[in-house]
Each structure stands twice: as C-alpha cells, then as structure tokens.
Amino acid sequence: MTPGRARCPPGTRFGNTGGVNDMNVQRGTVKLPRLLLVGLALAASPAGEAADIGEGYLFSRLGERDPNRSSYFNAGDLHLGGWLNAGFSINPDRPADHFNGPVGFSDRANELQLNQLYLYLERVTDASPDTWSWGGRLDFVFGSDAFYTRSMGDIGDHWDAHLLHQRIYGIAFPQAYLDIFAPIGTGLHVKLGEFYTLVGNESVMAPDNFFYSRSYAMQFGEPFSHTGVLAAYALNRNLELTAGAVTGSPFAGWDGSFEHHLENWGFVGGLNFASAQTGTTLAVTGTHGSSSDTPARDVNLYSIVAKQNVGEHWQLTLQHDYGWMSAAAEHAGAEWYGVVGYLNLELNPEWSAGLRLEWFRDDDGARVGSPARFPANPGRAADYYAATLGANWRPVPWLTVRPSVRYDASDGWQAFDNNSSKRQLLISSDIVLNF
C-alpha cells in the first residue's frame, strides 16, 4: 500500500463544499452510550411537540447547567457543540470478517456501529474589517470513526491511538487549531495547528454529508486532515484563495501531526468561486509534496468540485480527482483518479432524496485495500464502481435519519465478501443527532 493511507484520513474548513446542506446490538466489548437510547426516545416524540426545537435542544435541556449559558463561556465567546452518529448496514453476503470490503466509515457488516460521539469547543473570530481577532477549535470524537480521523503521521503510533482502543472503537482529537483574523485588505484568516482538509466534496464530520457511506475518492484518493498553517483571503465577493504549508506526514503532508516527519513539508491550497446569483460554486484544490522514502518521490493531487443549484429544489454536484506519485529507485510510481456525481432533490422541509454515482480507478493497486480499516489484502489495479440511492428525513431540526441502498463492483479483483466476490449490496440507515 502507498504510505499515508495504510488504513486502506460546522467545523470550519476553508472552502468547504461538502454535503447537501449547501441546499436551502453492538457485539464488541464497548457498549453504546445511553445517549443513543435517549436520542432514539426523543426521536419518537410527536413532531408537533418538537416543531420549533433547534439544534441546541439537548444542551438546552440541561437548563442552567448548559455550558453555553455559563458566564465563563459567554465571557470567552466559547461554544460547545456536537452530535451523535450511529448506523447499521445490512450485507446479504454475510462476510466472514464482518467488514464491508473497501467501503469505509460504514464498514461493519450486519452490526450496529456508534460511528461518532463528536464534541467540539469553538471560538469564532470576529471578522470586522478593521479589527484583529482570534479564535480556535478543539474537536473530540469517540466511536468507530475515530480510527479514520486520527492524524496518521506514523500508522498506529499517533498519541491518541493509545488513549483507548477496543476492537474497532477508539478516541481521537481530529482538529486542534488557532484561527487568527488580520484586518488586511478584505481580511486574512490564518489557521495554525491541525485541521480538516479543504480537498474534495465529502467530510469526516457526519452532518456534512448526505449519505452514511463515503465515496472511494474521499476514502482512498484524498487526505482527511493536515497539520501546519493555512491562510485564506477573499480576492473579491466571489473568489477566495487558500494556501498552506503542511507537515508531520510521510506522504506529502497528508494526515500529519506535530509528532513525526516534521522535516517533510508539503503544500495544500486552492481557489473557490461562489455566485449567489446563479447558485454556482466551483472549488479547485490540490496538494503537492514528497514522500519520506529514500529517495523521495513527488506526490501530487488535484480536485475539482462544481455545484449548481437547478431551480429551487435540485442540486447537481460533479467532482473529478487526479493523483499521481513519481517512481524512484526500486519504488514504482502510482496514479489514481475518478469522477463522482451527486444529484439531490429537496422534496419538502423534512424530506430530501439523493443519488451518488462514482467511478474510481486505482491504476497501480496502490490506493485501495480491503477491508478499508485494516487492509489485510492489498489491492490490485482495478476500476471501482458504486451507485448509492438514499434519503434524508428530518422530523425535527436536531435529528436526521439517512436510509440508503448502495451497490459496488470491482473489475480487477475480489474486493468484497472477505475477498471472495467482485460485487456487494449494502442496505443501510443511520441517524445524526445534533446536540
């Protein structure tokens, strides 16, 4: 497998293009927390009774013990938020290893997953045009997704990998950064620390995605996070430029930390266009750097994400990624690329429907492994195809239920059913419960 992804990585990420939100009994040793049961009980309450409940409803039920109402939080302009994400995927093949092949995040077959018990503490900068300001954010996640959110400077050796690890469950701190606003020109934002990537359409954070599962492009073709410095500057009302220097990773600044490989710096940046008048957004982003091999190899990636609102209720999204790594000495080069299309329809304030179609090419068998979490079987050169049809139901503003059906196929090897099949069907559903 290629270094940097042997697991084959509203938090603010500059130029975030993720999610349709841009439109108007577990068998392991870790038990699901009582909060999941509380959330399901709340979801069963009559819709009329909770019609005007906001996303901060669960914290507000604490009354004076709500941290966001404390004098300390008010004085420091602090906000505590979060969500709970849990789901279940039915795999008719009943794979012996209980994994859904190379499908990540919703990766367990016929087993309830607590994916994310997610909390964040945030101070938002005051972007007044003539005032310096500072903010920041610290994120915490417990669940089966913690593995995917860690900064994997060295696989398995990052500090939060040792805090808790029971079977597929763990703890991670995926973001920890300082945000500085400088009143220079139209205003300069600078992040210092560990932050989610700006590359691609989908996000680690469950509420930012329409579907429970993730695309191959997000899972295997892009970084999840970076560590370093990232600056964002609005060139005008429609264009924003981002550029950063990232480190702490053996793979071009992908999924790095301040713990290892600090000598290996890379670049991440892009240009984002948005027009409210036409309902159009376009994000062109990319990374450049080198591997920590001897001799080092160049690693490059670009991603183009275009979105267009069609009328009041439709949204079309197209994404194209292309990544490549040069050859050096005994190390072969690699290429990976693909196209993802999304079509979303808002049926009414409670219901929306979505379709995702994807083709992903792992040209040298260097990116995709199975299972996605622990690739015991390295991939081979192959095309991967996936079609996902799903819905979002929001009976109350703080709860989203996301049923979906997904069909996958691979033409290069038996990537599914414990490496005994080239095809897979998943019937899934999850909830996102906002605190």
Side-chain angles (χ1 to χ4, degrees):
M1 302 297 294
T2 301
R5 274 303 169 89
R7 50 179 171 276
C8 57
T12 23
R13 64 181 205 180
F14 297 133
N16 184 355
T17 58
V20 75
N21 292 331
D22 292 339
M23 295 179 66
N24 268 309
V25 170
Q26 195 246 328
R27 304 182 311 181
T29 57
V30 178
K31 296 181 180 179
L32 298 183
R34 293 182 181 179
L35 185 55
L36 175 57
L37 302 180
V38 173
L40 293 174
L42 287 169
S45 62
E49 180 181 320
D52 32 349
I53 292 174
E55 293 188 358
Y57 171 72
L58 293 183
F59 279 157
S60 71
R61 296 289 288 178
L62 298 174
E64 295 301 321
R65 292 187 295 275
D66 179 358
N68 292 312
R69 298 175 61 181
S70 71
S71 58
Y72 180 80
F73 271 53
N74 289 330
D77 293 325
L78 299 174
H79 175 73
L80 180 67
W83 56 85
L84 182 144
N85 174 223
F88 190 92
S89 294
I90 299 173
N91 187 329
D93 293 330
R94 299 179 179 272
D97 63 356
H98 303 288
F99 282 107
N100 294 322
V103 174
F105 290 83
S106 57
D107 57 356
R108 295 294 288 175
N110 307 310
E111 180 177 310
L112 181 63
Q113 285 183 251
L114 171 58
N115 294 86
Q116 299 180 9
L117 174 58
Y118 203 110
L119 296 171
Y120 65 87
L121 181 64
E122 185 174 38
R123 187 180 194 272
V124 179
T125 56
D126 178 10
S128 299
D130 56 354
T131 304
W132 286 82
S133 178
W134 70 273
R137 179 160 164 148
L138 176 65
D139 290 26
F140 164 88
V141 59
F142 166 79
S144 60
D145 288 357
F147 176 84
Y148 295 107
T149 66
R150 292 186 184 122
S151 296
M152 308 294 276
D154 275 339
I155 304 301
D157 196 37
H158 192 248
W159 67 273
D160 57 6
H162 306 290
L163 295 178
L164 173 68
H165 181 74
Q166 295 193 26
R167 223 165 135 260
I168 65 170
Y169 288 88
I171 285 174
F173 291 85
Q175 293 199 111
Y177 62 80
L178 178 68
D179 188 8
I180 299 172
F181 176 80
I184 300 172
T186 59
L188 177 68
H189 277 276
V190 179
K191 284 184 178 180
L192 298 167
E194 182 179 336
F195 43 83
Y196 285 132
T197 190
L198 53 84
V199 176
N201 182 55
E202 297 185 5
S203 170
V204 167
M205 296 178 289
D208 286 0
N209 305 290
F210 188 90
F211 296 104
Y212 180 30
S213 68
R214 307 298 200 275
S215 66
Y216 287 98
M218 189 265 188
Q219 175 67 43
F220 297 108
E222 304 166 355
F224 284 178
S225 64
H226 307 281
T227 292
V229 56
L230 182 67
Y233 184 80
L235 301 174
N236 55 46
R237 62 186 301 176
N238 300 116
L239 284 174
E240 181 187 57
L241 176 67
T242 57
V246 292
T247 187
S249 164
F251 197 73
W254 289 30
D255 313 317
S257 70
F258 279 123
E259 205 172 353
H260 307 281
H261 300 287
L262 298 182
E263 77 288 347
N264 193 29
W265 286 84
F267 167 83
V268 62
L271 189 65
N272 298 279
F273 169 82
S275 171
Q277 290 77 14
T278 62
T280 305
T281 65
L282 177 66
V284 181
T285 57
T287 68
H288 169 72
S290 61
S291 69
S292 58
D293 301 322
T294 303
R297 294 178 287 171
D298 284 342
V299 181
N300 302 279
L301 168 71
Y302 72 75
S303 177
I304 302 171
V305 179
K307 291 191 175 189
Q308 179 63 57
N309 291 341
V310 182
E312 295 184 2
H313 303 291
W314 292 87
Q315 184 184 67
L316 175 66
T317 302
L318 291 174
Q319 175 181 352
H320 165 58
D321 286 5
Y322 180 76
W324 69 99
M325 181 170 57
S326 65
E330 73 276 12
H331 300 295
E335 290 182 283
W336 60 97
Y337 42 88
V339 177
V340 194
Y342 307 78
L343 183 63
N344 297 106
L345 170 63
E346 185 181 83
L347 299 168
N348 56 51
E350 291 187 6
W351 284 94
S352 54
L355 173 68
R356 179 180 62 198
L357 300 175
E358 179 178 18
W359 162 66
F360 184 81
R361 173 68 181 176
D362 185 2
D363 208 41
D364 302 277
R367 301 305 301 167
V368 181
S370 180
R373 182 182 299 267
F374 306 116
N377 299 284
R380 298 161 180 79
D383 295 285
Y384 298 86
Y385 305 91
T388 309
L389 179 65
N392 280 195
W393 176 44
R394 298 191 69 194
V396 288
W398 45 268
L399 176 67
T400 304
V401 182
R402 304 186 296 189
S404 64
V405 177
R406 172 171 174 158
Y407 183 78
D408 290 76
S410 168
D411 67 358
W413 66 301
Q414 295 176 321
F416 308 100
D417 192 11
N418 199 23
N419 303 116
S420 65
S421 175
K422 291 186 177 181
R423 294 169 179 81
Q424 178 175 266
L425 175 68
L426 295 178
I427 304 169
S428 305
S429 187
D430 72 325
I431 63 167
V432 179
L433 181 69
N434 290 286
F435 301 155

